[in-house]
Amino acid sequence: MTTASPAPASMIDRIVTILDSFDGPHGFTLAQVVARTGLPRSSAHRILEHLVKVGWLRRDQLHYHLGLRILELGTLACYQHQLRGAASPHLYELAHSTGMTVHLAVLDGPEIVYLDKLGGRSSLRVPSRIGGRAPATCTGVGKVLLAYAEEAGLEAVLGRPLPRPTPASIGTERRLRAELAHVRDRGIAFDREESAWGLGCVAAPIGPPGSPEAALSVCGPIARVNLEHLVGPVRASAQAVWASVGAGRTAPPSSLHGAPAPRQPIGA
């Protein structure tokens, strides 16, 4: 039984306190949640009902239970940990052999989320971070994932103005569709100063043919790197990562992409 502590002041703290109170296999009534959290009854009821509405909780008559969205996020967190763990040695080898920055990313709507980043020896700063986001249309990993996305997913990207961090960024639907068709033909994507000046990237999909679940990229100073020479190593590393994931997979995450992550647009 959880002992209630002084009621937290901020809304986020209150939500976390309520979710943390669900520490057993059974549901709880409003009165029990109030007793376990120390929150005012009206505040607890309002938050509980909103969490039900967004799927974090479900209500069965008088009792509240953890919802499917919590299960989905927990499964995704386990998968992403598995993916990152399987990819880690291959990312390290690629970063070491090329001396460049290596990224592992997944697609979340119009953005990509970086699951991992290993820095290279280049003095050029690559503006990215683990857990950060970037516009998918401006990055190699984003384009290689958009190339195989369903039309509905692509329409969500095209339903808003395309971000243009640099003049080289893709700015029209026609050019984007042509670029994605080229990516599908080669199974590889490039970022030629589209996310940041001076930066070039090569990206390859990770996953079964035509249905990638993630992507990796190598990034470095475009003036000193022949991106075409990196196609082979990047593709080989992506295939090696997928082989490692398949060998250790415990649960497919195909419907779980899109977990919230800190929204801080970045380039890479």
Side-chain angles (χ1 to χ4, degrees), residues 4 57 110 177 197:
L57 296 177
R177 289 187 178 276
W197 279 120

Side-chain angles (χ1 to χ4, degrees), residues 90-156:
H90 304 289
L91 299 181
Y92 176 83
E93 182 178 349
L94 188 60
H96 180 73
S97 63
T98 62
M100 300 173 67
T101 300
V102 178
H103 292 113
L104 176 69
V106 293
L107 185 66
D108 181 15
E111 299 174 315
I112 56 93
V113 180
Y114 292 105
L115 301 185
D116 206 351
K117 174 185 177 180
L118 293 177
R121 298 185 294 270
S122 169
S123 60
L124 179 67
R125 180 178 178 273
V126 178
S128 58
R129 63 174 177 82
I130 297 172
R133 291 172 175 259
T137 57
C138 304
T139 62
V141 286
K143 287 190 286 186
V144 84
L145 292 170
L146 284 176
Y148 300 100
E150 296 181 356
E151 182 63 24
L154 189 55
E155 288 294 337

